[in-house]
Amino acid sequence: MKCLTPRDYEQQFSDRSAADAAVMVTEASDLHLPAREKRSHKYSNGRALIIAGAEGYSGAPVLAANACERSGAGLTRLIVPRSIYSIAAVKCDGAVVTPLDADRSGALSGRATEALLPYLNSATACLIGPGLGLGEGARALVSYALHETSSPLILDADALTVVGKYPWMLEKCHEPMILTPHEGEFERLGGDLSNGRLAGALAFSEAHESIILVLKGHGTLVCQGGQAFVNPTGSPALAKGGTGDVLAGILCALLAQGIEPLEAARSAVYLHGLAGDLAEAETGPYSLTPSDVIRYLPKAFCSI
C-alpha cells in the first residue's frame, strides 16, 4: 500500500486536497478474497438482496444483479415492481427476480414494505436504489430498509437522492452503511466540494463516522472517519450510464460474502476499475458498455 502526500495526490488527480491529509492508494496486493470451502453451498456464500427498478428503468437493476452474480454471491435476489418483472426476469442471468406491488407510475409502491421484511431478514447484504425512482414509494422503501435491515446496507443512485431530501434518515441505520455517490449526488447529500474532492469526502466521513463513503469519479475515494483511500484503476471509458450500477452489484456481492465493509468497498472499486481497463483493451474507450465490464469481472477477480 502506498501513501500519497497531499501534493502527490493533487498532481496525480488534479484535486485540491486537505492540507494535512494523506491518502492511501489501494493496490492489488492489499486485497484478499475469502477462500471457498469445499463443502460450501449457495447459502454459505452469501445472500445478496437488491431492491431496484421502475417502469422505464429496467436496465439498472439488471446490471446490478448480473454484476452481483459475477462477483461471487451465493444467491442474488432482485426485487422489482411488477411493471418490469417480465423484462428483468428475462435479462437476469441467475438472480431470483421477485415482483412486488407497483404504483401508478410503475415504481415500487409503499405497500411493498409489507412484503419486504422476510427478504431483509434473510439477506447478508442489501443494495437499494438503482433505477428506484423518487416518488413516495421510494421514500417509504428507503426509510424502511434503513430501519429494519440487519445486514450491511448500500445506498446507491435514487436512494441517495431520497436521503438527500430527508437527511435524518442517515441516523436510522443500525448496521454498516455504504454510500456510493457521484459528485452531484454527494452535493445533494450535503457534501461540500468547494475545497476539492478529498477535503469534501474527509469532512463528510468525519461528520458521519459510521458511514463508509465511496465518492465516484477519477480517482474514486473510499473514506471512513479520517481514513481515505484512492483507487488507481479505471479510465474515462467508464464514464457511461450503468457502470455505477455494476459497481454497486459488485459491492453487494462482496459484503454478502462477509468481507468487512471498508475492505469490501476498496475491493469493489478496484475490481470494477480493473474490469473496465481489461474490457477497454478490447473495445476501446468509446465502445465500452456496462455489460462489457461484467464480462471482464472474472479476469479481474483472477488477477488478485
Side-chain angles (χ1 to χ4, degrees):
M1 185 185 298
K2 294 187 299 184
C3 180
L4 295 181
T5 67
R7 183 178 295 276
D8 293 334
Y9 174 75
E10 290 170 1
Q11 290 176 344
Q12 290 191 34
F13 297 99
S14 303
D15 177 28
R16 293 163 292 162
S17 69
D20 58 351
V23 58
M24 307 301 293
V25 180
T26 298
E27 298 180 309
S29 58
D30 302 330
L31 310 181
H32 305 283
L33 300 175
R36 289 289 174 97
E37 298 294 334
K38 289 183 178 181
R39 294 173 182 258
S40 66
H41 48 79
K42 62 184 177 183
Y43 297 111
S44 59
N45 289 323
R47 299 180 300 277
L49 176 65
I50 300 172
I51 306 166
E55 189 170 333
Y57 295 92
S58 60
V62 169
L63 288 168
N66 285 342
C68 191
E69 281 280 303
R70 275 291 192 185
S71 301
L75 181 65
T76 300
R77 182 180 297 275
L78 172 61
I79 289 180
V80 297
R82 296 187 192 281
S83 56
I84 65 167
Y85 168 70
S86 60
I87 300 172
V90 167
K91 290 186 176 181
C92 280
D93 292 335
V96 177
V97 184
T98 302
L100 294 184
D101 287 341
D103 60 21
R104 291 183 179 180
S105 72
L108 281 164
S109 165
R111 296 190 306 275
T113 57
E114 300 170 7
L116 200 57
L117 187 58
Y119 302 119
L120 286 172
N121 284 342
S122 64
T124 53
C126 177
L127 161 64
I128 183 168
L132 190 67
L134 300 173
E136 180 58 28
R139 185 202 65 77
L141 286 161
V142 171
S143 178
Y144 188 80
L146 283 166
H147 188 267
E148 297 293 339
T149 187
S150 58
S151 59
L153 179 66
I154 307 158
L155 298 187
D156 183 53
D158 289 339
L160 294 169
T161 299
V162 168
V163 169
K165 291 181 179 179
Y166 306 99
W168 51 267
M169 286 186 179
L170 289 179
E171 308 305 322
K172 294 185 67 174
C173 188
H174 305 297
E175 292 297 323
M177 180 163 55
I178 301 179
L179 309 183
T180 58
H182 55 59
E183 290 184 4
E185 292 163 340
F186 180 64
E187 290 181 317
R188 289 197 285 274
L189 287 167
D192 180 8
L193 295 171
S194 61
N195 291 317
R197 285 167 51 85
L198 178 59
L202 283 171
F204 184 92
S205 62
E206 288 169 357
H208 304 86
E209 291 186 356
S210 63
I211 291 173
I212 295 169
L213 174 69
V214 178
L215 181 57
K216 296 183 291 193
H218 175 52
T220 291
L221 288 164
V222 178
C223 298
Q224 185 176 32
Q227 291 182 293
F229 300 90
V230 64
N231 185 62
T233 62
S235 77
L238 290 170
K240 187 170 289 187
T243 56
D245 304 311
V246 173
L247 171 60
I250 299 168
L251 177 53
C252 190
L254 298 184
L255 286 170
Q257 293 169 81
I259 298 179
E260 186 273 329
L262 181 60
E263 176 71 12
R266 294 175 59 208
S267 299
V269 170
Y270 187 95
L271 288 161
H272 174 259
L274 179 58
D277 292 340
L278 293 169
E280 184 185 358
E282 175 190 323
T283 67
Y286 293 95
S287 299
L288 181 80
T289 69
S291 294
D292 292 327
V293 180
I294 296 173
R295 185 162 55 90
Y296 272 87
L297 280 173
K299 287 188 175 181
F301 272 85
C302 286
S303 75
I304 66 167

